[in-house]
Amino acid sequence: AATEIVYAPADSARGRTSAEVLRDEIKRETGLELKVSPGKAAVAGAPAIQLTQKAGKTEFRPEGYRLVVSPTGAEVTGGDGVGVFWGTQSLLQLLKRTPQGWTVRGCEIADWPVCPIRYVEGRRKVDEDLIRGLARMKINYYHFSNISVAEATAPFTPFAEKYCVKLVLPAEPRFLLASHPELAELNVGEDYNKMEKSRVNFCPSNPKTWELYFAEVDKWIDKFNGDYVSVGYDEMYQSGSGARYNTCPLCRARHLRS
């Protein structure tokens, strides 16, 4: 294939990564192998995909881009590197196979996200195909299932970073109860082993809860690129007498003191 992928500025690390990801995705979908180069196309007038970041240009909103496809190639321009990357994902969405080969219809698109945080909480295990799919849909945060799979998920952080997807560590304290049932919030005389487990609360008034919790979170927090953690706890254990809140002696004593 004669088409070349060119990125600018030539010293942009994000620009080079976006160009390489585009090259890899085009090869994966079409089998075509395109060259990646910094600056401008090697041959003036030759077909090219030009990726250009124009920092400081007020015409672009954050993560916004403009995609123009013409007979001589495609140009993706953005005010920041992430915007340029999202433009490449739109270009990939436009790829179409015809009897004459792979083509992209001529177009001009100006696009930007309404929401800076586009967040999915998922149960599917993290792998490269999932990250590719999230990026194609311009989802930039993925909250994986729970902290028990952190070790298996952490190796995908560099790949997610290349695709502008941030992996969010699920750090709901309930995970402690599997190995430390003594930290559950219980009424006097209540038997943990006879309780429905999916919504049992941990005791926030027990100092041991936080000692163990932060020790576990500290093991993983730097292994993911998300700038948030999810503490969950939007659901509470329900029993016949109503929601479980302020029931154990430690919590009731703390409530009275406050």
Side-chain angles (χ1 to χ4, degrees), residues 85-99:
F85 177 79
W86 297 135
T88 68
Q89 298 304 292
S90 290
L91 180 60
L92 288 167
Q93 289 176 322
L94 296 172
L95 278 172
K96 183 178 181 180
R97 189 168 193 169
T98 70

Side-chain angles (χ1 to χ4, degrees), residues 16-110:
R16 180 172 185 84
T17 297
S18 295
E20 290 173 343
V21 167
L22 179 60
R23 174 200 62 197
D24 295 345
E25 292 299 305
I26 289 175
K27 181 178 179 180
R28 186 170 182 267
E29 294 196 22
T30 70
L32 300 174
E33 297 192 27
L34 278 60
K35 179 183 176 183
V36 169
S37 302
K40 296 182 178 180
V43 179
I49 300 173
Q50 179 75 51
L51 311 181
T52 306
Q53 179 184 339
K54 294 184 176 180
K57 292 290 185 180
T58 56
E59 62 186 289
F60 294 105
R61 303 188 190 191
E63 298 185 45
Y65 64 89
R66 179 175 292 107
L67 168 61
V68 179
V69 179
S70 69
T72 58
E75 182 176 6
V76 180
T77 311
D80 53 52
V82 178
V84 173
F85 177 79
W86 297 135
T88 68
Q89 298 304 292
S90 290
L91 180 60
L92 288 167
Q93 289 176 322
L94 296 172
L95 278 172
K96 183 178 181 180
R97 189 168 193 169
T98 70
Q100 292 73 40
W102 288 93
T103 64
V104 177
R105 292 183 63 179
C107 65
E108 182 171 346
I109 298 171

Side-chain angles (χ1 to χ4, degrees), residues 31-199:
L32 300 174
E33 297 192 27
L34 278 60
K35 179 183 176 183
V36 169
S37 302
K40 296 182 178 180
V43 179
I49 300 173
Q50 179 75 51
L51 311 181
T52 306
Q53 179 184 339
K54 294 184 176 180
K57 292 290 185 180
T58 56
E59 62 186 289
F60 294 105
R61 303 188 190 191
E63 298 185 45
Y65 64 89
R66 179 175 292 107
L67 168 61
V68 179
V69 179
S70 69
T72 58
E75 182 176 6
V76 180
T77 311
D80 53 52
V82 178
V84 173
F85 177 79
W86 297 135
T88 68
Q89 298 304 292
S90 290
L91 180 60
L92 288 167
Q93 289 176 322
L94 296 172
L95 278 172
K96 183 178 181 180
R97 189 168 193 169
T98 70
Q100 292 73 40
W102 288 93
T103 64
V104 177
R105 292 183 63 179
C107 65
E108 182 171 346
I109 298 171
D111 188 25
W112 60 89
V114 173
C115 299
I117 299 173
R118 302 173 300 280
Y119 188 108
V120 168
E121 177 184 357
R123 296 293 182 264
R124 188 187 187 283
K125 71 175 184 177
V126 174
D127 57 25
E128 292 183 357
D129 284 343
L130 173 66
I131 292 167
R132 286 189 180 97
L134 292 168
R136 199 66 60 89
M137 301 305 294
K138 303 180 181 69
I139 301 297
N140 59 350
Y141 285 87
Y142 184 72
H143 166 185
F144 57 93
S145 57
N146 58 70
I147 202 169
S148 68
V149 298
E151 185 173 6
T153 304
F156 292 99
T157 298
F159 190 85
E161 185 69 22
K162 286 170 56 178
Y163 283 72
C164 295
V165 174
K166 295 184 181 294
L167 298 178
V168 177
L169 177 67
E172 184 174 329
R174 191 179 286 126
F175 72 83
L176 292 170
L177 298 180
S179 54
H180 296 278
E182 72 277 8
L183 298 179
E185 185 179 18
L186 304 174
N187 276 319
V188 175
E190 209 163 23
D191 186 350
Y192 174 81
N193 293 318
K194 294 181 179 179
M195 298 175 72
E196 193 276 319
K197 299 299 188 299
S198 65
R199 295 291 177 262

Side-chain angles (χ1 to χ4, degrees), residues 231-252:
V231 298
Y233 249 76
D234 52 316
E235 300 161 311
M236 299 183 71
Y237 178 83
Q238 300 287 319
S239 69
S241 58
R244 298 301 305 271
Y245 171 73
N246 197 27
T247 59
C248 78
L250 284 174
C251 291
R252 291 178 67 84

